[in-house]
Amino acid sequence: MKKTTLIILLLFLSVGLLKAQQEKKTLSGYVRDVSTGEELLGATVLIKGTSEGAVTNLYGFYSISLNPGHHTVAISYMGFESRTIELELQDDLNFSIELMPNNLSLETVEVSAISKDEKILEIGSGIERVSMDQMRKMPKLLGEVDLIRNIQLLPGISTVGEGTSGFNVRGGGADENLILLDEATVFNAAHVMGFFSVFNSDAIKDVKIYKGGLPAQYGGRLSSVLDVRQLEGNSKKLQVKGGIGLLSSRLTVEGPIQKDKTSFLVAGRRSYMDVFTRLSGDEELKNNNLYFYDFNAKVNHKFSDKDRVFLSYYSGNDVMKLGDLFSSSWGNNTMTFRWNHVFNPRLFTNITVTNSNYFYHIIGSHGPDSWDWKSSILNQTFKADAAYFVNPNRTIDFGLQSNMQDYVPGTILPTGEESAVNSIEMAKEHAIESGAYVSWNEKINEQWKLELGLRYVDFRRLGGTQYIYQDGVMERDAIIDSVRFSRHQTMASYNGIEPRFNLSYTPNKTTAIKASFHRANQFVHLISNTNAPSPIDVWKPSNAYLKPAQVDQLSLAFVKGIQNNNFELVVESYYKDYRRVQDFKDGARLAFNETLETEVLEGIGRAYGLEASIEKKEGRFTGRISYTLSRSERKVAGINQGEWYRANFDKPHDLSIYGLYQLNKKWDFSANFVLASGRPFTQPIGKYEWEGMVLPVMGERNAHRIPTYHRLDISANLSPEGKRGSWSFGLYNVYARRNAYSVFFRQQENSPQTEAVRLSILGSVIPSVTYNFKF
């Protein structure tokens, strides 16, 4: 606690010692959409004739310190008409600005995720902003606009295959990504076993993903942060929008409760595969069930120009039932309360309280031998973040965070009169993760920008049973004693400093060279020995034996704007050094295992690669080509004879191409093509018989690969002029490629030979049609 107190004192002392020039006056406020009242994140506010300016933060707020006098202010944001405003500044001025959405001609259509020069101007590297308008026009599986599927087209981001939840960033595991919805943690962001994500595109305002150079305010994961912000609700007028597709339908209603002061948003989405099964004449099929739903809600109230509060909620669930064999459900519930307060024109604060609950429930055999299996994770977080705008060239961000974690690993209870299942109740696990951070952002001159960050983390595992192993050898039959800790006692604790660094050099307005470094610790482990996470996987907090994983990542980037920044070339390399990574023994038993550490081995890892992309941002034709060359490897004593081996998600080559063509004001066409290396797998090299059973002899870990993955998707969108509705048509997997999800081995019928069998999730063309409306 002494270290934590010292960090807190240093944070506030660093602010208190800073003295701005007394003659400066501060211009501050929000930049908003004039048609909806939504704050615009990342809008640019520049003072003409000077090098001074600002970019709105994650809450749409900006602050600039200027000399008193007359100033010309230029405000711009992608997809909106720029504004130039003349004003007289004699004292501190709260000045919020509204921009008009841009009705672009066909020759100047913009669908880029970010403005033409944002990647050149921003300090950090490895940052991607996702355009929701572009996502809606891109090809879709069964008509569903899907965030996770679209970010997999970005360089450095991949997946191990269709039908898998999660994504992999720069050679990291799917559990190494921090996924936030209005700042609340989402543990499983997938519907239908990974085919779709939990994010309803109609309710999303802004999406940003950090692949490297993580800002100091983020912690707890090794590879990336996916920060998703919900819309706040139209504060100007009532608006209804939605869509009807082959798989699901959605409806969103937003509007003012009190114009320009209080607004709301309610959005719902539901699939109806279960409706079709009930209408079937097949009794066996009629007894099956499969559907998912999402519900988003948000309300916000503006008390004054200095105070605003937000309350948002999300609930999503998947339900699956296979006759009388079993039924299951899994999902997320999140709630976020946020209070923005402007202490003065230079000090902006945000207080956030979140509650996140991930759960799954399985009912086995609906009859006399039935049983229940339940598991859940509860996260409760408090955060206090502040930004102090010292002057136009310097900003200091600092804050405190605390996260209470409660895990229910699993409980099985017999519910039928004749159930042969024994009751199993895993002990609940508790932990608290705290952090304090400070980040110094400095514009040194016109060419150089610097961001220095420091994050202190403290993790404590609370309560539970700790087993003692003979001679420290962690084998189940080596337990010689155990120690019981009460709910509030510390079983194990870890702390440390995480340095963060971003440097940008812009020799001219079209070129940037960047370097970044970050260290991160992860205190929770996804317990799975499969190649991709599933809803029933267990998350386990670190303890005395399962130590937190750590990574250092260094990246270098080159950004070049071509033809007035209409084309953008980005080349970025990275190297990640992993410590204390966990991997599982061959044949590890993970389910309902109180001594999980006996199935886990600890080692090191490395991931490195080169990412290259070129994007056309304006005109009738826009698009992007991205290629990633990478490796991801592990070295764990006790696996693969202690030699380096490929990680489960190692994919050396990953190419993605997408394009959008605006034919006229009614029609646009888009396509994307993906080509990637198959993921590794372990192949048996022999077999033997033991007590009547034929058992395989496994070869080197992940020494072989499944076949190369490739797929083409196309779509067309019709938006008749003057109509409130539009149509979207698509073909997914145009040439019916049977991409392998995995390869398994079995003995041939009536033969002692073993054969390899390729398992494919999808192997046919999947058409879609969706009707969208808005009024």
Side-chain angles (χ1 to χ4, degrees):
M1 292 302 295
K2 289 183 179 180
K3 289 184 179 180
T4 305
T5 305
L6 179 61
I7 290 290
I8 295 171
L9 290 174
L10 288 174
L11 291 175
F12 288 98
L13 184 61
S14 64
V15 175
L17 292 176
L18 291 169
K19 294 183 178 180
Q21 297 177 359
Q22 295 301 315
E23 67 271 15
K24 295 276 188 180
K25 303 301 177 183
T26 302
L27 176 69
S28 62
Y30 294 86
V31 179
R32 299 187 175 102
D33 181 343
V34 70
S35 62
T36 65
E38 291 274 353
E39 276 76 22
L40 301 178
L41 286 54
T44 302
V45 183
L46 297 175
I47 309 302
K48 284 198 168 182
T50 74
S51 61
E52 296 174 339
V55 175
T56 56
N57 65 10
L58 289 172
Y59 310 101
F61 182 81
Y62 76 95
S63 177
I64 312 173
S65 296
L66 304 167
N67 291 319
H70 185 83
H71 296 282
T72 302
V73 185
I75 310 98
S76 60
Y77 186 73
M78 179 196 68
F80 286 74
E81 294 181 1
S82 298
R83 285 187 65 183
T84 301
I85 299 172
E86 306 284 336
L87 57 82
E88 196 72 27
L89 187 66
Q90 297 299 334
D91 206 346
D92 291 345
L93 178 62
N94 185 298
F95 187 70
S96 293
I97 306 157
E98 293 185 329
L99 298 182
M100 180 76 71
N102 199 350
N103 296 317
L104 298 167
S105 67
L106 292 178
E107 285 70 31
T108 59
V109 171
E110 294 182 13
V111 295
S112 171
I114 60 175
S115 60
K116 290 200 297 181
D117 56 358
E118 183 174 339
K119 276 201 172 180
I120 296 172
L121 296 177
E122 66 189 0
I123 299 177
S125 62
I127 303 172
E128 304 280 358
R129 177 169 279 130
V130 180
S131 167
M132 299 309 300
D133 288 337
Q134 178 179 293
M135 273 180 50
R136 294 184 185 101
K137 294 182 177 182
M138 294 303 294
K140 317 162 190 68
L141 175 59
L142 288 170
E144 283 296 308
V145 179
D146 190 81
L147 172 61
I148 302 296
R149 192 173 296 277
N150 274 268
I151 67 172
Q152 291 166 10
L153 298 175
L154 298 172
I157 303 177
S158 62
T159 178
V160 297
E162 274 143 343
T164 62
S165 63
F167 54 97
N168 305 99
V169 177
R170 291 186 169 178
D175 61 322
E176 296 176 18
N177 306 311
L178 178 62
I179 302 175
L180 300 173
L181 178 61
D182 273 355
E183 303 185 55
T185 303
V186 177
F187 277 87
N188 189 324
H191 282 310
V192 196
M193 305 297 289
F195 281 105
F196 309 104
S197 74
V198 300
F199 302 110
N200 182 348
S201 63
D202 286 347
I204 297 175
K205 171 183 179 178
D206 185 77
V207 178
K208 205 168 187 179
I209 183 165
Y210 299 86
K211 301 182 294 183
L214 298 182
Q217 66 261 39
Y218 296 111
R221 294 293 189 276
L222 300 179
S223 285
S224 77
V225 177
L226 177 61
D227 193 349
V228 182
R229 308 274 170 151
Q230 291 188 121
L231 288 165
E232 290 156 10
N234 194 318
S235 64
K236 305 290 185 179
K237 62 181 180 180
L238 184 68
Q239 190 175 66
V240 180
K241 58 185 175 181
I244 302 171
L246 297 178
L247 173 71
S248 67
S249 292
R250 61 191 193 280
L251 179 68
T252 300
V253 181
E254 57 180 318
I257 298 174
Q258 185 177 357
K259 191 173 181 180
D260 292 326
K261 197 165 186 178
T262 309
S263 63
F264 76 94
L265 169 102
V266 176
R269 178 177 60 160
R270 192 189 191 281
S271 68
Y272 27 69
M273 290 174 283
D274 58 317
V275 175
F276 296 128
T277 58
R278 289 184 194 137
L279 296 176
S280 172
D282 187 327
E283 287 300 322
E284 187 173 338
L285 185 60
K286 188 181 293 188
N287 202 23
N288 294 337
N289 207 355
L290 177 63
Y291 68 90
F292 69 85
Y293 69 81
D294 295 302
F295 176 75
N296 302 74
K298 194 167 187 177
V299 63
N300 68 92
H301 177 71
K302 179 181 177 183
F303 288 96
S304 67
D305 289 336
K306 292 187 174 182
D307 291 281
R308 191 171 181 181
V309 295
F310 306 79
L311 180 64
S312 60
Y313 175 75
Y314 168 78
S315 178
N317 201 4
D318 281 68
V319 175
M320 178 189 298
K321 181 175 183 291
L322 295 179
D324 292 329
L325 294 177
F326 83 98
S327 64
S328 66
S329 64
W330 64 90
N332 298 274
N333 294 316
T334 71
M335 182 176 288
T336 302
F337 171 80
R338 182 158 53 86
W339 170 36
N340 290 162
H341 177 66
V342 182
F343 277 98
N344 59 57
R346 293 185 182 178
L347 183 59
F348 176 90
T349 62
N350 180 70
I351 305 296
T352 306
V353 179
T354 72
N355 185 87
S356 174
N357 182 30
Y358 171 67
F359 61 90
Y360 66 81
H361 180 201
I362 299 175
I363 299 175
S365 182
H366 292 259
D369 58 347
S370 60
W371 46 268
D372 268 14
W373 178 358
K374 294 181 180 180
S375 182
S376 64
I377 305 171
L378 178 65
N379 256 24
Q380 296 173 308
T381 302
F382 171 82
K383 298 197 303 177
D385 302 297
Y388 183 60
F389 302 89
V390 182
N391 57 48
N393 298 322
R394 183 178 303 145
T395 303
I396 298 176
D397 298 297
F398 56 96
L400 302 170
Q401 302 167 358
S402 184
N403 178 12
M404 290 292 299
Q405 306 166 10
D406 295 287
Y407 299 82
V408 180
T411 300
I412 288 185
L413 296 174
T415 56
E417 296 178 358
E418 302 175 11
S419 179
V421 175
N422 295 321
S423 295
I424 303 175
E425 185 170 358
M426 297 280 287
K428 296 180 181 179
E429 299 173 319
H430 312 281
I432 181 169
E433 182 180 342
S434 303
Y437 73 91
V438 61
S439 180
W440 184 290
N441 301 270
E442 183 83 16
K443 181 181 178 182
I444 301 171
N445 53 41
E446 287 301 304
Q447 286 78 41
W448 292 93
K449 296 178 185 177
L450 174 66
E451 179 182 76
L452 285 176
L454 196 65
R455 180 180 179 85
Y456 173 76
V457 291
D458 181 89
F459 175 85
R460 297 176 184 275
R461 173 67 189 277
L462 304 175
T465 300
Q466 180 174 308
Y467 293 98
I468 310 298
Y469 296 91
Q470 188 174 19
D471 300 325
V473 178
M474 282 184 288
E475 298 291 345
R476 187 171 179 81
D477 56 6
I479 297 174
I480 57 175
D481 202 355
S482 63
V483 180
R484 177 67 185 173
F485 294 83
S486 66
R487 170 68 173 82
H488 299 289
Q489 279 185 299
T490 299
M491 175 195 292
S493 65
Y494 301 93
N495 56 63
I497 298 292
E498 298 178 349
R500 311 287 171 91
F501 168 87
N502 282 291
L503 180 67
S504 175
Y505 172 62
T506 53
N508 53 59
K509 292 183 178 180
T510 63
T511 307
I513 301 170
K514 304 181 182 188
S516 67
F517 170 85
H518 79 255
R519 171 172 292 176
N521 292 278
Q522 183 163 328
F523 301 97
V524 62
H525 310 271
L526 181 63
I527 307 304
S528 172
N529 55 1
T530 60
N531 292 300
S534 71
I536 63 172
D537 287 332
V538 174
W539 292 77
K540 189 175 182 65
S542 293
N543 56 29
Y545 302 113
L546 291 174
K547 297 178 180 179
Q550 187 179 83
V551 71
D552 288 341
Q553 180 181 162
L554 175 66
S555 59
L556 299 171
F558 173 78
V559 184
K560 179 65 177 178
I562 306 169
Q563 290 187 359
N564 195 29
N565 290 349
N566 185 28
F567 288 84
E568 182 179 75
L569 171 69
V570 181
V571 179
E572 187 162 358
S573 61
Y574 66 89
Y575 184 86
K576 298 169 74 172
D577 179 28
Y578 285 92
R579 292 174 291 280
R580 300 192 298 269
V581 294
Q582 313 288 340
D583 210 339
F584 302 99
K585 300 176 181 178
D586 293 330
R589 184 178 68 84
L590 305 181
F592 292 93
N593 188 346
E594 293 276 10
T595 58
L596 197 62
E597 58 267 15
T598 63
E599 306 291 343
V600 175
L601 297 172
E602 183 181 291
I604 59 176
R606 62 190 181 193
Y608 47 93
L610 180 71
E611 302 167 358
S613 68
I614 185 165
E615 182 175 10
K616 186 177 185 295
K617 298 188 172 187
E618 283 188 354
R620 289 192 176 211
F621 178 77
T622 55
R624 184 174 188 171
I625 301 174
S626 300
Y627 172 71
T628 304
L629 174 66
S630 64
R631 294 307 301 262
S632 181
E633 299 170 313
R634 299 288 185 263
K635 186 176 183 180
V636 180
I639 298 177
N640 207 51
Q641 291 81 49
E643 299 296 327
W644 287 100
Y645 61 94
R646 300 163 180 163
N648 290 338
F649 25 84
D650 174 65
K651 300 178 77 172
H653 303 281
D654 198 337
L655 171 71
S656 63
I657 304 171
Y658 72 74
L660 172 64
Y661 180 68
Q662 190 80 39
L663 177 65
N664 52 43
K665 291 185 177 180
K666 292 183 180 181
W667 284 97
D668 64 75
F669 301 89
S670 64
N672 59 252
F673 175 74
V674 179
L675 173 67
S677 302
R679 62 171 177 78
F681 72 95
T682 304
Q683 181 172 306
I685 57 175
K687 58 185 177 180
Y688 65 95
E689 186 173 331
W690 181 74
E691 294 186 355
M693 296 183 294
V694 177
L695 302 175
V697 177
M698 304 305 293
E700 292 185 11
R701 177 79 64 101
N702 290 342
H704 300 269
R705 291 189 181 278
I706 64 175
T708 300
Y709 180 100
H710 52 90
R711 190 191 77 242
L712 173 67
D713 313 318
I714 60 174
S715 73
N717 301 289
L718 172 63
S719 304
E721 291 185 71
K723 304 293 184 180
R724 297 184 183 274
S726 63
W727 291 89
S728 180
F729 309 94
L731 292 175
Y732 185 89
N733 196 20
V734 171
Y735 50 85
R737 164 73 175 176
R738 289 185 59 83
N739 285 299
Y741 172 75
S742 65
V743 174
F744 64 95
F745 298 85
R746 67 186 181 191
Q747 187 171 323
Q748 292 179 348
E749 236 182 287
N750 303 319
S751 171
Q753 298 297 318
T754 299
E755 63 179 352
V757 181
R758 181 169 66 178
L759 173 65
S760 298
I761 304 296
L762 300 177
S764 60
V765 182
I766 302 177
S768 66
V769 57
T770 303
Y771 175 72
N772 302 293
F773 56 87
K774 183 177 181 179
F775 55 87

